[in-house]
Amino acid sequence: MFNDSVKLKWKGKEYTCPITMNLAKAMEKGGVNILATAIELDNGGIPKVTVVAEVYSWLLGAGGCDVSEEEVYISIMSSPGKSTELVTSAKYAINLFFPKFESPERSEKKVKKD
């Protein structure tokens, strides 16, 4: 969850984008509802391009890349074939804002037998 990061590509360069509480707060103050966005992106099918562009620009910004939502939107719309990677990356990254659940095997307490 927090203190994790995702590597995203933009215009041939790779950026390491940290997933932090400060980023989550900034995104939500900026109008991005992280839970609603995750649901939108996970619904299957093709998500709204504006949603993907917004998330991707926020994440890239956290990684030090100065790119606007409009630039990401234009990139998606100008080459739909390549946009699949952006959508997949946005889905993966938004899910990093949620805690990872332990598997039952790992979280089970071992009971000592006498």
Side-chain angles (χ1 to χ4, degrees):
M1 191 167 139
F2 295 126
N3 300 317
D4 205 344
S5 65
V6 62
K7 291 183 188 283
L8 300 178
K9 291 182 182 176
W10 181 252
K11 303 226 176 201
K13 188 173 177 188
E14 189 172 81
Y15 296 87
T16 300
C17 309
I19 305 299
T20 65
M21 183 62 180
N22 285 339
L23 176 58
K25 288 184 345 187
M27 288 173 70
E28 291 200 334
K29 283 181 183 177
V32 177
N33 181 318
I34 293 171
L35 179 57
T37 301
I39 292 168
E40 168 86 21
L41 293 174
D42 283 339
N43 267 341
I46 301 170
K48 294 176 188 166
V49 176
T50 54
V51 171
V52 175
E54 184 176 40
V55 168
Y56 211 80
S57 67
W58 271 105
L59 293 165
L60 284 170
C65 177
D66 185 24
V67 63
S68 70
E69 293 174 31
E70 285 182 10
E71 290 173 288
V72 177
Y73 182 90
I74 290 168
S75 176
I76 293 169
M77 296 304 283
S78 64
S79 64
K82 291 185 176 181
S83 65
T84 305
E85 183 181 334
L86 293 178
V87 172
T88 302
S89 296
K91 285 180 182 182
Y92 174 79
I94 201 74
N95 282 306
L96 292 177
F97 284 95
F98 297 90
K100 293 174 183 73
F101 294 104
E102 292 286 330
S103 67
E105 298 82 26
R106 290 185 63 193
S107 60
E108 246 179 39
K109 289 185 179 179
K110 305 226 181 228
V111 179
K112 285 187 175 181
K113 293 184 179 181
D114 292 328

